[in-house]
Amino acid sequence: MGAGTVYTFADDLKHGYTAMKRTGRVLATLAICINDYRVTLNGKAENEEQWPTVVKACHKRCAERTLHVLERNGSIFIKLGQAMSCMNYLLPTEWTSTFVPLQDKCPVSSYESIEDMFIKDTGHPITALFDDFERTPIGAASLAQVHRATLKGSGEKVAVKVQHPSLAEWVPLDLALTRFIFSALRRFFPDYDLEWLSEEMETSLPQELDFTLEGENALRAKAYFRNIKGIPLLIPDVRWGLKRILVMEYIAGHRPDDLEYIDSNAIDRDEVSAALAHIFNEMIFGDDMTRHCDPHGGNIAIRKNTSRRKPNFDIILYDHGLYRDIPKQIRRDYARLWLAVINADENDMRKYARKVAGITDDQFPLFASAITGRDYRVVTKSVISSRSDQEKNEISEAMSEGMLQQLVQLLGKVPRIVLLILKTNDLTRSLDENLQTRGGPVRTFMILARYCSRTVLHEQIENIGQNGRMIWPRNLFRLLSAWSSYVRIELKLSLYETYLSFSRLIP
């Protein structure tokens, strides 16, 4: 038996042993959590008075056990935990809050393993491609880490995004385990069907693991926003990329929730909030734009810009691995749905909720709360006001009292693209709340209304054009009516922004 055969056998043995440990952790924790929930739920009659406290304690125990396994296994389990930490609209607070540390607690691959990957993928060692390559990454995420480097010859500072080499070994097993977890949960708790989470991961993960696609998405978004005036967005340019390596222009900034940095540099929080609203609404409602599906705080940075007076900052958008196109009709119906929400028009809300997501009248109150993050009683009056602590607590308690079960069943039937839009809504709403702006959500809702109104106007003009010439009296009247609705919203927003400008002058 040759030395090579021995080494191969030893590697296979090590891989098999590690695979058994990874699988054992998942299965053992899954069994313990399922049993914990079954015992807790079966004891509801005995704990009627303390039931909310009892079930919250069960959520917390199971979330902490699961967190331990996600951290130990790493790989795509970190990605899954990060996604779940943002699902405030779906999961109990005990789960989402427990998983928050995963946003900043990601694995770091060794320099040696990165060097081996470079040789395997490019045919060259790192020193042949870069004059300088910092061994310690400046950032790490669940799927990749980023190193600061200097390009060979040109001397340009770049950010080099490299995939964790171990992913190639464990992704197939981990996807199978994820699929099994949600399948088992559905079997034991049929009312809590979350299999669509694993299905979405199986669809999106291959895209996120192909950095050539990320490079294409970044360049497409950069080209689109280059033609949009007034939006202070920077997207790092792509120098070159392979499936597991992406070399980009180096642009650094601070997290959008770094309020100390924002305030110390005289950056207006309200302007940052408005800029974020413009960026992500443009991605959703823009005709030729695809949508960034992962706009959390780790993928966005703020930096001071002294080259212009207003706005005096740039927003940097990273991680373009997961983009999705939204079909035109869904965009249009979604725009009408939000206009109805902003105008508190319940009949139109129900009409377009049915068109966008197939929502029935019985399901509508729950769906309205899910897309807005608000109590349904607030949605039917005025969604523009800020969320109070009391309202947040009431929603959290409602989740414990049975709303969660209904919501899981509802979202399992909603089209996947609508779920991704809901995810973006929740993430951008969280970004906005973390900025703690003076005006609350009023301005961001008015900006949303502007994009919705523009989308509806374009649809109306298209429909009018299909019914004869624009100068026909009937068509001309319809055009003027559509245009006046759009101008009315533009005027409201302009007046409000003028009011904000004057209010800043008053100490």
Side-chain angles (χ1 to χ4, degrees), residues 89-90 186 189-196 357-359 363 366-367 402-416 419:
Y89 59 90
L90 176 61
R186 181 186 181 187
F189 308 106
D191 292 334
Y192 294 88
D193 182 5
L194 290 170
E195 278 193 293
W196 54 269
I359 302 301
Q363 295 169 330
L366 187 59
F367 180 75
M403 184 188 288
L404 176 62
Q405 174 184 335
Q406 300 170 43
L407 187 57
V408 169
Q409 293 174 341
L410 173 63
L411 295 183
K413 300 173 183 176
V414 169
R416 295 295 171 261
L419 284 177

Side-chain angles (χ1 to χ4, degrees), residues 162-178:
V162 292
Q163 196 173 115
H164 293 303
S166 62
L167 286 175
E169 181 178 11
W170 297 117
V171 162
L173 172 64
D174 292 347
L175 279 176
L177 286 172
T178 303

Side-chain angles (χ1 to χ4, degrees), residues 328-389:
K328 181 185 286 187
Q329 195 54 53
I330 288 183
R331 272 194 287 114
R332 290 175 168 179
D333 290 336
Y334 186 67
R336 290 183 180 275
L337 171 61
W338 268 109
L339 284 176
V341 170
I342 292 168
N343 293 324
D345 184 338
E346 187 173 353
N347 288 334
D348 270 3
M349 282 190 238
R350 291 177 179 273
K351 174 182 177 181
Y352 289 103
R354 187 178 300 110
K355 288 191 172 186
V356 168
I359 302 301
T360 66
D361 283 342
D362 289 340
Q363 295 169 330
F364 175 74
L366 187 59
F367 180 75
S369 293
I371 67 168
T372 61
R374 307 300 301 270
D375 187 293
Y376 178 63
R377 293 166 294 183
V378 175
V379 176
T380 54
K381 293 177 181 177
S382 176
V383 77
I384 294 177
S385 59
S386 298
R387 288 199 301 175
S388 65
D389 290 337

Side-chain angles (χ1 to χ4, degrees), residues 328 332 457-466 470:
K328 181 185 286 187
R332 290 175 168 179
L457 174 64
H458 289 171
E459 180 183 17
Q460 290 173 323
I461 291 174
E462 183 181 300
N463 291 339
I464 292 168
Q466 293 172 353
M470 287 289 186

Side-chain angles (χ1 to χ4, degrees), residues 228-485:
I228 308 289
K229 293 182 179 180
I231 297 182
L233 175 65
L234 287 178
I235 294 175
D237 210 351
V238 177
R239 297 295 177 249
W240 57 268
L242 300 172
K243 188 169 184 178
R244 297 197 292 176
I245 303 168
L246 188 63
V247 180
M248 302 163 288
E249 175 186 14
Y250 177 71
I251 307 177
H254 292 253
R255 285 180 61 101
D257 55 4
D258 188 348
L259 301 184
E260 182 179 348
Y261 171 81
I262 291 173
D263 294 341
S264 64
N265 282 275
I267 296 172
D268 192 318
R269 299 186 195 181
D270 290 76
E271 291 303 315
V272 173
S273 171
L276 288 170
H278 279 292
I279 290 167
F280 290 109
N281 280 308
E282 192 68 59
M283 285 187 165
I284 290 175
F285 297 107
D287 281 334
D288 300 312
M289 183 55 199
T290 188
R291 191 177 70 82
H292 191 297
C293 294
D294 202 16
H296 61 73
N299 289 338
I300 299 169
I302 311 291
R303 76 169 188 181
K304 177 86 169 180
N305 187 329
T306 57
S307 65
R308 59 173 180 259
R309 189 177 66 85
K310 186 180 178 181
N312 66 339
F313 62 88
D314 294 315
I315 291 177
I316 309 160
L317 187 60
Y318 306 117
D319 195 351
H320 303 268
L322 185 56
Y323 271 53
R324 292 285 175 85
D325 290 314
I326 304 175
K328 181 185 286 187
Q329 195 54 53
I330 288 183
R331 272 194 287 114
R332 290 175 168 179
D333 290 336
Y334 186 67
R336 290 183 180 275
L337 171 61
W338 268 109
L339 284 176
V341 170
I342 292 168
N343 293 324
D345 184 338
E346 187 173 353
N347 288 334
D348 270 3
M349 282 190 238
R350 291 177 179 273
K351 174 182 177 181
Y352 289 103
R354 187 178 300 110
K355 288 191 172 186
V356 168
I359 302 301
T360 66
D361 283 342
D362 289 340
Q363 295 169 330
F364 175 74
L366 187 59
F367 180 75
S369 293
I371 67 168
T372 61
R374 307 300 301 270
D375 187 293
Y376 178 63
R377 293 166 294 183
V378 175
V379 176
T380 54
K381 293 177 181 177
S382 176
V383 77
I384 294 177
S385 59
S386 298
R387 288 199 301 175
S388 65
D389 290 337
Q390 180 182 347
E391 184 183 350
K392 293 177 185 178
N393 291 334
E394 287 176 352
I395 291 176
S396 178
E397 289 174 6
M399 283 287 192
S400 300
E401 293 171 3
M403 184 188 288
L404 176 62
Q405 174 184 335
Q406 300 170 43
L407 187 57
V408 169
Q409 293 174 341
L410 173 63
L411 295 183
K413 300 173 183 176
V414 169
R416 295 295 171 261
I417 188 63
V418 176
L419 284 177
L420 287 172
I421 295 173
L422 287 178
K423 176 186 175 184
T424 300
N425 280 348
D426 205 53
L427 290 171
T428 52
R429 183 164 52 240
S430 176
L431 288 171
D432 192 59
E433 288 185 346
N434 288 339
L435 283 167
Q436 300 173 28
T437 57
R438 292 187 301 273
V442 177
R443 190 180 185 190
T444 53
F445 272 116
M446 293 187 74
I447 292 171
L448 170 61
R450 166 188 277 176
Y451 282 91
C452 292
S453 181
R454 185 186 72 180
T455 301
V456 170
L457 174 64
H458 289 171
E459 180 183 17
Q460 290 173 323
I461 291 174
E462 183 181 300
N463 291 339
I464 292 168
Q466 293 172 353
N467 292 311
R469 302 179 66 180
M470 287 289 186
I471 58 173
W472 288 1
R474 183 169 177 271
N475 285 347
L476 187 59
F477 175 78
R478 291 173 63 196
L479 178 62
L480 290 173
S481 176
W483 183 255
S484 65
S485 296

